Amino acid sequence: MTLSRRHLIAAAAACAAPALVRAQQPHHGHHSGQFERLNQPGRMDLPEIHAQQAVSDSPAPRAARAGVWRPRAPLPIPRTEMAWAAAYRNRVHLVGGYAEQRVDKPYHHAYDPVTDRWEELPQLPRGANHVGVATLGDHLYAFGGFIEQNRTPHDEAFRFDGARWARIRRLPEACGAMACVALGQRVHLIGGAIGSDWRRSIDWHIVYDPASDRYEKRQPLPTARDHIGIVVVGPSIHVIGGRVDSFHTNSSLHHSYDAQADRWVARTPMPTPRSGHGCVVYRGQVFVMGGEGTNRVFGQNEAWDPVADRWVSHAPMITPRHGMGAVVVGDEIIVAGGGPQMGGGVKSAINESFTLG
């Protein structure tokens, strides 16, 4: 199912209306000095504009068990726009992003929730933001990304073996902000954005085969978009939300992909249209948290039950933000870094975890 731009904008605006209730400001006292501006060095506290833009009220019914968020050890360096994170060898891995007044940093940090510690690991051979990452077998993969602020992508790709990065075959086209996930013995790369002066979303869907070091085309995403959430549920890939060219046209779309039939199917839309959000599978359900919109930074934590085909809302994030890394390790959802306001002007070292208890 492909929606026209006019219908997409109208649907997003209608769905977003209930989410304009302001988020209550947390009183956990863990925000001090965990933020930094992109254009100015020096740590700072939570920016005042966060109170105006943060929203956490979901139109979805509340879950019977709300769950609990708690602060964890902050990132060593405030970061945002890593795009996504990946679980690799039981740790959270954050690759690339904005940091230290640059948008093309090659940083690579790993977080162990058991010890509550961060470690700096070998850096990417090429720094970028909005890098696509996925884990397959005993390797962590990184694809593309932007070398300017959310634009001007590159086509390089890399594989990490736990000790060092190695180059793999370049992408067929330079791209950033794509969604990546492993299914079977291949990595699927879906959606994303291209361009510099004229940035636009694309509907591409390719798969990378590590055995042959080659890419193959698959059925394109029904609606071109980037900054989307992606997970695997059983034999299917699910792609949720995202933006069409800009966060002014955020989407609530939810599609699943059947790899055997090479076919996309429209599923029940996400309650809160957004982009730059976290998306994970936790206890058999798809959880979506955070994200960005026009003058909005979301704290909504909504979950889709594949069996009941129903969305519900859980306890919202302590610190609403977007462009962060969200990963499940053990029995926790770890959400690290991200921007506490619209755009990439402020980075955070915030690290929080969620559990249903």
Side-chain angles (χ1 to χ4, degrees), residues 57-351:
D57 189 60
S58 170
R62 295 189 178 185
R65 298 173 66 185
V68 177
W69 289 89
R70 62 171 174 149
R72 304 300 299 266
L75 270 161
I77 301 169
R79 293 173 60 187
T80 188
E81 309 302 357
M82 292 76 67
W84 297 274
Y88 176 65
R89 295 187 179 180
N90 297 315
R91 296 199 293 178
V92 179
H93 286 250
L94 299 181
V95 179
Y98 301 175
E100 295 182 322
Q101 293 69 62
R102 295 292 299 269
V103 300
D104 58 351
K105 300 303 291 187
Y107 284 133
H108 177 195
H109 290 103
Y111 172 71
D112 185 340
V114 175
T115 61
D116 196 26
R117 289 180 176 273
W118 288 92
E119 179 183 1
E120 186 169 354
L121 295 178
Q123 297 185 347
L124 268 177
R126 179 167 190 173
N129 61 83
H130 295 84
V131 179
V133 293
T135 299
L136 175 58
D138 197 37
H139 290 97
L140 172 67
Y141 292 85
F143 299 94
F146 300 115
I147 58 175
E148 295 186 79
Q149 190 169 356
N150 198 20
R151 63 193 184 98
T152 312
H154 72 82
D155 65 356
E156 294 185 70
F158 310 96
R159 179 173 63 194
F160 182 69
D161 65 3
R164 60 187 60 85
W165 290 94
R167 295 179 185 273
I168 58 176
R169 184 178 293 271
R170 290 175 179 266
L171 295 168
E173 181 179 2
C175 184
M178 71 201 85
C180 302
V181 73
L183 180 66
Q185 298 304 309
R186 292 173 172 83
V187 180
H188 288 247
L189 292 74
I190 300 172
I194 61 174
S196 180
D197 295 333
W198 184 51
R199 179 194 182 282
R200 65 180 179 87
S201 302
I202 59 176
D203 64 357
W204 80 343
H205 178 189
I206 60 174
V207 294
Y208 173 72
D209 181 358
S212 63
D213 191 31
R214 292 186 178 277
Y215 299 92
E216 298 177 356
K217 289 185 177 181
R218 293 291 186 270
Q219 186 68 24
L221 186 63
T223 300
R225 56 198 195 270
D226 58 276
H227 283 71
I228 53 184
I230 188 168
V231 292
V232 170
V233 180
S236 301
I237 294 172
H238 288 251
V239 170
I240 301 173
R243 62 185 62 171
V244 180
D245 299 338
S246 165
F247 53 63
H248 299 304
T249 48
N250 274 345
S251 167
S252 61
L253 292 175
H254 172 192
H255 289 94
S256 65
Y257 174 74
D258 182 337
Q260 291 279 48
D262 190 27
R263 182 170 66 98
W264 289 95
V265 177
R267 309 301 291 264
T268 303
M270 177 172 57
T272 302
R274 44 188 152 162
S275 57
H277 46 288
C279 186
V280 300
V281 175
Y282 174 64
R283 295 196 187 182
Q285 298 187 38
V286 178
F287 278 75
V288 179
M289 71 294 300
E292 179 183 23
T294 304
N295 295 320
R296 300 285 179 263
V297 57
F298 296 110
Q300 284 88 331
N301 180 22
E302 298 165 341
W304 178 67
D305 184 336
V307 177
D309 188 21
R310 178 173 179 258
W311 287 89
V312 296
S313 62
H314 290 267
M317 300 167 68
I318 300 173
T319 314
R321 57 201 194 278
H322 66 92
M324 68 284 181
V327 165
V328 171
V329 178
D331 190 45
E332 291 180 290
I333 301 175
I334 310 295
V335 183
Q341 65 186 53
M342 184 188 73
V346 175
K347 314 172 295 290
S348 83
I350 293 290
N351 182 23

